[in-house]
Amino acid sequence: MALKGKNILVGVTGSIAAYKAAILVRCLVKEGASVRVVMTAAAKEFITPLTMATLAKNPIYVEFFNPENGDWHSHVSLGEWADCFVIAPATANTLAKMAYGIADNLLLTTYLSARCPVMVAPAMDLDMYSHPTTGENLAKLASVGVAIVEPEEGELASGLSGKGRMAEPEYITEQISKLLDGAEKKTLNGRRFIVTAGATIEPIDPVRYITNHSTGKMGYAIAEELASRGAEVTLISGRTALPTPKGVERVDVLSAEEMYEAVKARWEGCDGGVMCAAVADYTPAEVSPVKVKKSEGDMAIRLRRTPDIAASLGAVKGDRLLIGFALETDHEEENAQGKLERKNFDLVVLNSLRDKGAGFGGDTNKVTFVTRDGMESFPLEQKSDVARRIAAFADSFFKKF
Ligand code: CTP
């Protein structure tokens, strides 16, 4: 079951069906989920906070702050904590406010700031449910990705009979589980990333250049994995033969300088960066406009330093995520730790050319994660699996409460 260990935020609004929210909370807890409850003031008229808090095993949230001690209830933190926000029962009033971005209570502000999947289970009288305005509001919510658990037909609180009765808690639980199964991978919805990949090319003259063995496979796999988890990804790519991953915006560059400019222009507004490119640390100091002719004897090319792209992002990182790579041949862990500090990375993905199957070209890699909390080594695996580990690291980085 997809609910084990998941954080489910249950929103309760003012409807007779609020009693079913208590059963829903019990079902979710039984499935191993952690549950928090946010109620509107009207909901408290239908079911007591004490009942909900006891079943959820957590205090409930109603107001923006606790009037007794001024303790602030952050709607942003609640939204970030939740893996799923399910509003059950959802009244016509709350659905209308959600559809139009009205934010006059904690439940609604939480909805507007939540990045997790959101589900509503409407409950109302049959005429309210069949009213075209309610239909339009539900269609509007569906169009922005809100999952709707349709009400059932049956006897209603008004004594009338028809469609409007909130779906049964057991059924809603199943639907949440299904939604999470599908959304399992959409953990980076709304996050913006830059990924650099491939080798840079530093021209000597119109014919020759300095480059390295990077093929871009690792960076492309990371861009693809982040995008598949819902992130908006810009891939700043050196020359490669690879196709652009699905759902990724690709910007082609050649030299380290061009890559630096492309990255710098996009870092603001990003939530994270993965620096996977093999960037030349040196470039020819002068580029000849014409082909350099050979002469007797040896020749030397004077090189100058290129900008350190990762370090420049690290210097203005703030609370963003920055991941770098270290490809080493010796003193691997020591070198990786040095890069972690110098470039202000949150994670250095270390691979060593001493490990068979690691590094350039192939479809596999063998990496060690180096963070300020320690190191963790993984077996030789597909680059797509390494990409999944890196994306999972990003997931946990953003999951704070
Ligand atoms: N990097 C970068 N810009 C550069 C050089 C490197 O963004 N001009 C990034 C790489 O993409 C990688 C990390 O920095 O994520 C490590 O690069 P590397 O060149 O191995 O590290 P350096 O600190 O330059 O150390 P050295 O070359 O001495 O190994």
Side-chain angles (χ1 to χ4, degrees), residues 3-336:
L3 288 168
K4 199 165 165 37
K6 290 286 185 257
N7 295 336
I8 311 293
L9 182 62
V10 176
V12 187
T13 68
S15 153
I16 289 288
Y19 77 92
K20 288 189 181 172
I23 306 166
L24 173 64
V25 168
R26 210 178 54 183
C27 290
L28 294 168
V29 169
K30 219 168 107 196
E31 294 296 337
S34 287
V35 181
R36 291 175 194 245
V37 180
V38 56
M39 298 171 82
T40 61
K44 289 200 300 180
E45 305 293 324
F46 293 88
I47 185 141
T48 72
L50 180 62
T51 304
M52 297 307 287
T54 308
L55 292 171
K57 304 186 197 318
N58 271 313
I60 59 103
Y61 303 86
V62 179
E63 306 294 345
F64 288 102
F65 59 91
N66 180 343
E68 299 295 321
N69 59 14
D71 193 18
W72 178 251
H73 298 148
S74 165
H75 54 93
V76 176
S77 308
L78 270 178
E80 280 186 353
W81 172 83
D83 294 306
C84 180
F85 184 18
V86 54
I87 300 159
T91 58
N93 182 44
T94 290
L95 292 171
K97 287 179 175 179
M98 285 169 71
Y100 285 89
I102 294 170
D104 62 0
N105 62 39
L106 185 63
L107 185 149
L108 291 163
T109 49
T110 304
Y111 163 64
L112 282 179
S113 47
R115 294 178 171 197
C116 61
V118 177
M119 177 181 279
V120 292
M124 63 197 77
D125 209 41
L126 76 161
D127 296 316
M128 290 172 84
Y129 187 70
S130 62
H131 195 284
T133 306
T134 303
E136 276 167 26
N137 291 339
L138 282 169
K140 197 151 185 258
L141 290 173
S143 74
V144 295
V146 173
I148 293 156
V149 186
E150 284 207 19
E152 295 171 355
E153 301 233 1
E155 201 181 312
L156 299 163
S158 59
L160 298 172
S161 191
K163 195 167 178 178
R165 206 164 77 169
M166 188 176 94
E168 290 307 313
E170 293 77 7
Y171 180 73
I172 298 174
T173 305
E174 262 174 49
Q175 296 309 303
I176 298 170
S177 183
K178 277 192 193 155
L179 182 71
L180 283 177
D181 262 344
E184 195 80 280
K185 296 192 74 204
K186 297 288 175 203
T187 43
L188 293 170
N189 252 342
R191 300 284 181 191
R192 289 172 70 180
F193 279 85
I194 293 179
V195 178
T196 66
T200 59
I201 286 184
E202 309 300 327
I204 298 169
D205 68 14
V207 183
R208 303 161 182 110
Y209 54 78
I210 299 172
T211 191
N212 58 63
H213 290 300
S214 171
T215 56
K217 279 187 181 171
M218 192 64 251
Y220 273 55
I222 294 167
E224 181 168 356
E225 181 62 29
L226 293 173
S228 79
R229 292 183 187 222
E232 223 179 277
V233 182
T234 305
L235 178 61
I236 317 278
S237 175
R239 197 159 72 184
T240 87
L242 300 170
T244 307
K246 205 169 136 232
V248 168
E249 182 205 8
R250 170 168 157 182
V251 177
D252 286 321
V253 295
L254 284 176
S255 66
E257 189 72 44
E258 276 179 45
M259 186 173 273
Y260 172 68
E261 293 301 333
V263 169
K264 201 171 67 170
R266 291 169 176 82
W267 184 226
E268 212 187 302
C270 275
D271 298 288
V274 185
M275 304 289 101
C276 196
V279 186
D281 287 326
Y282 294 92
T283 192
E286 289 97 30
V287 181
S288 171
V290 292
K291 188 179 169 195
V292 176
K293 290 292 183 191
K294 64 177 161 300
S295 54
E296 290 306 314
D298 299 338
M299 76 168 288
I301 299 172
R302 200 164 63 82
L303 301 175
R304 64 174 167 79
R305 280 296 309 268
T306 55
D308 191 318
I309 302 167
S312 74
L313 301 193
V316 291
K317 188 171 86 71
D319 57 4
R320 287 174 284 196
L321 169 67
L322 190 60
I323 298 177
F325 272 73
L327 176 61
E328 306 292 340
T329 57
D330 57 279
H331 299 93
E332 288 86 346
E333 294 177 357
E334 201 183 312
N335 285 334

